[in-house]
């Protein structure tokens, strides 16, 4: 069984590296051709990246045969959870906006992970994790909602909030499933490849039934390849390797670095403006992540 101690050199830093790559998703998606459906953009990244993870990893193709019956059910659950994230998150963005959806999805994921790990008796959340996670979620909230707090609040869409929370639950579920299978000795690349290969098939209808003309343009192809290769294939390879040395609870908290990277890229690449509250939130978020990574 792999060592699950929090070694920053082999675990949390790999999770943070994956979060950095995920943080480029928003900037890349904003460069897609006008009129490209947001759900189709997410589906394209998952379908192409998921199939790449599956086809490039020999252990992913042989993993179902190497698993017990119970583990195969876990793999299937993980694939459904992976597919559930874009199916719920992108409609949530449409109804509540990027900022609110990001805060709810990413902010609720560590909470769901801690609760699910406790309910399934995988691990009991520690007081240090709870304090660090609360700090990180608070910083993430201030960072992402800073512009909206400065300009007034918008009406809350209840269905959008529920969809974003379901996205957070999906993320928590496949992180726990992946962590459990890896802890049982299965190769991390094989676990990620199998889960994402299954998820790619599940969301393929979303891509096929949407308007795909944007994919035929040079910019559309570039965006889809970036989402597939960088934010799915490479990022989840890193995430899987990180789970070998990091608990799922800590991992989902560490990925709160994603909106921080997205905000910084927005300022540097898209010339966006961040109010002082957002910079304060960034500092609070960094404090929480530091406690998780090096605690």
């Amino acid at each position: 069984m792999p060592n699950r101690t929090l070694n920053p050199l082999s675990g949390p830093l790999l999770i943070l590296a994956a979060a950095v790559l995920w943080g480029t998703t928003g900037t890349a998606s904003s460069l897609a051709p006008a009129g490209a459906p947001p759900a189709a953009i997410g589906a394209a990244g998952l379908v192409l990246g998921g199939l790449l993870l599956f086809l490039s990893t020999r252990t992913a193709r042989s993993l179902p045969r190497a698993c017990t019956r119970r583990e195969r059910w876990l793999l299937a659950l993980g694939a459904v959870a992976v597919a559930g994230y874009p199916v719920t998150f992108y409609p949530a963005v449409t109804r509540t906006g990027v900022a609110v959806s990001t805060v709810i999805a990413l902010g609720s994921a560590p909470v769901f992970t801690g609760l699910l790990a406790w309910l399934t008796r995988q691990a009991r959340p520690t007081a240090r994790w709870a304090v660090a996670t609360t700090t990180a979620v608070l910083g993430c909230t201030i960072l992402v909602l800073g512009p909206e707090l400065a300009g007034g609040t918008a009406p809350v869409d209840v269905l959008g909030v529920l969809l974003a929370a379901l996205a957070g639950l999906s993320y928590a579920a496949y992180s726990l499933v992946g962590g459990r299978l890896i802890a049982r000795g299965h190769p991390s690349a094989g676990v990620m490849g199998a889960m994402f290969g299954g998820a790619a098939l599940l969301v393929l209808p979303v891509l096929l039934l949407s308007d795909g003309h944007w994919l035929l343009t040079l910019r559309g192809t570039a965006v889809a390849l970036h989402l597939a290769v960088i934010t799915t294939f490479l990022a989840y390879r890193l995430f899987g390797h990180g789970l070998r040395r990091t608990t799922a609870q800590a991992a989902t908290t560490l990925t709160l670095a994603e909106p921080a990277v997205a905000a910084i890229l927005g300022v540097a690449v898209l010339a966006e403006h961040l109010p002082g509250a957002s910079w304060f939130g960034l500092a609070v978020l960094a404090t929480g992540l530091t406690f998780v990574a090096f605690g």
Side-chain angles (χ1 to χ4, degrees), residues 232-248:
T232 301
F233 175 75
L234 182 56
Y236 278 100
R237 276 289 181 88
L238 292 171
F239 186 72
H241 286 304
L243 280 178
R244 297 189 68 83
R245 301 283 182 173
T246 313
T247 63

Side-chain angles (χ1 to χ4, degrees), residues 1-5 179-188 241 243-246:
M1 179 179 294
N3 182 8
R4 302 297 292 277
T5 56
R180 171 172 283 194
L181 291 171
I182 291 169
R184 290 183 175 183
H186 295 295
S188 58
H241 286 304
L243 280 178
R244 297 189 68 83
R245 301 283 182 173
T246 313

